[in-house]
Amino acid sequence: MPLIYDWAAREAERLVTVADLCNARKAGMRYAQVTANTAEEAAAAEEAGIDMVVTRAANVREVRRGSGRLFVTAALGFADAVTHDDILRAAFKALSDGADAVITARGMSTVSALAAEDIPVMGHLGLVPRKSTWVGKLRAVGKTADEALELFHRFRCLEEAGAFAVECEVIPARVMQEINSRTGLVTVSLGSGPDADVMFLFIEDVCGGEARLPRHARRYGNLHDLQEQVRRERVKALSAFRGDVDSRSFPGAKEVSQISDSEYAAFVETLEKNGHIARTS
């Protein structure tokens, strides 16, 4: 397992490095990536053999509590960092917290500003949900020859801007295959077919955490039903507690502390001698 120094100058082991990702095709490697925003999710991902996770920049420290070995990419939110100075500050903070790379869907000048500081930058092309108004709805991008060609040029621009990788979201599989063979970027497929260096799914989709499943995803678990069962059990327990409070059956003898009869009698006697008369309700 590679030994590196992270951006805070700490010795660290990583399951995969930027160099590994850049050499993936040559080495015949294929990596798996999911989202993770908690220590528990990160620990589960590492234990399951996942190589990489994406998390919000603010959650990097929490994710690192769960795994010191995963390759962590920090997502820079649009509103969290606006100017180039803000973005650089947010990126360096995420890297110092333990991230290995950052991902942004901002423009090429932003990518260039980050890359100029030797920050490993992942771009985002294809369907970018927050920018979906430009394509009219949530849909695959690259379904016409003209749109596919425009998309290919955006890959070229991203590479020229200095990105090392790109999240490719909901691009037709044959288009992705052709672009993948013509780009030097590390390609991360989210709903864009099998011809990429990294396969990516949201952890909620993999684990079945939501009732709705996107077309490009595959469910491997059923956390949604378990969570619904937990919700029902919680309501059932709380309702029973409320009922026992109303019926005065809680607390019972087992839930209260006791005092001996002699000590209790002495306590009451002292109260009454000092004029502390019990109030009537």
Side-chain angles (χ1 to χ4, degrees):
M1 186 176 300
L3 178 67
I4 64 166
Y5 276 94
D6 69 10
W7 287 77
R10 298 171 296 228
E11 277 195 359
E13 288 184 328
R14 291 291 188 266
L15 296 170
V16 60
T17 65
V18 170
D20 294 326
L21 292 169
C22 291
N23 291 321
R25 268 171 267 177
K26 187 188 303 183
M29 293 296 296
R30 202 178 196 202
Y31 297 99
Q33 175 179 276
V34 298
T35 53
N37 283 304
T38 67
E40 291 77 12
E41 289 176 345
E46 181 180 327
E47 186 175 347
I50 301 297
D51 309 290
M52 306 164 63
V53 296
V54 176
T55 188
R56 290 186 289 272
N59 293 339
V60 170
R61 282 191 178 184
E62 172 68 10
V63 166
R64 275 288 175 234
R65 281 201 315 109
S67 172
R69 295 178 173 180
L70 289 168
F71 186 97
V72 175
T73 300
L76 303 177
F78 285 105
D80 300 333
V82 180
T83 68
H84 280 185
D85 284 346
D86 292 339
I87 291 162
L88 285 171
R89 190 176 295 109
F92 279 121
K93 172 65 165 59
L95 292 164
S96 296
D97 285 346
D100 300 291
V102 300
I103 180 171
T104 180
R106 296 283 295 267
M108 300 305 164
S109 63
T110 298
V111 173
S112 294
L114 291 163
E117 297 292 340
D118 289 332
I119 295 172
V121 188
M122 184 182 296
H124 188 174
L125 295 177
L127 174 64
V128 181
R130 289 183 177 87
K131 297 180 179 180
S132 56
T133 188
W134 285 101
V135 295
K137 61 180 179 179
L138 296 174
R139 65 167 178 83
V141 175
K143 294 188 74 172
T144 67
D146 287 344
E147 192 173 70
L149 189 59
E150 180 185 351
L151 181 62
F152 172 68
H153 287 311
R154 292 182 69 82
F155 272 76
R156 296 290 296 272
C157 288
L158 188 61
E159 189 171 356
E160 290 168 3
F164 88 100
V166 55
E167 178 183 325
C168 312
E169 185 164 353
V170 196
I171 296 169
R174 288 194 293 176
V175 173
M176 186 68 244
Q177 180 184 34
E178 293 299 331
I179 292 177
N180 189 59
S181 68
R182 292 169 169 81
T183 182
L185 293 167
V186 174
T187 50
V188 179
S189 174
L190 177 61
S192 297
D195 293 293
D197 305 307
V198 182
M199 294 296 110
F200 176 32
L201 282 178
F202 278 63
I203 195 168
E204 292 85 357
D205 296 333
V206 173
C207 298
E210 304 287 344
R212 176 182 172 275
L213 184 70
R215 178 182 176 181
H216 64 261
R218 184 181 295 178
R219 183 179 286 131
Y220 293 87
N222 196 1
L223 287 182
H224 178 265
D225 283 0
L226 290 175
Q227 290 161 354
E228 179 59 22
Q229 183 180 340
V230 169
R231 186 196 67 79
R232 290 195 302 267
E233 192 67 19
R234 183 182 293 117
V235 172
K236 176 183 173 183
L238 291 170
S239 298
F241 170 58
R242 172 76 258 185
D244 282 355
V245 169
D246 290 342
S247 66
R248 296 183 178 274
S249 61
F250 178 87
K254 292 181 178 180
E255 288 103 17
V256 297
S257 299
Q258 301 297 334
I259 185 172
S260 69
D261 291 346
S262 59
E263 291 296 331
Y264 176 69
F267 167 59
V268 173
E269 183 181 355
T270 302
L271 288 175
E272 292 177 346
K273 280 182 179 179
N274 289 305
H276 299 297
I277 308 303
R279 299 177 183 180
T280 57
S281 56

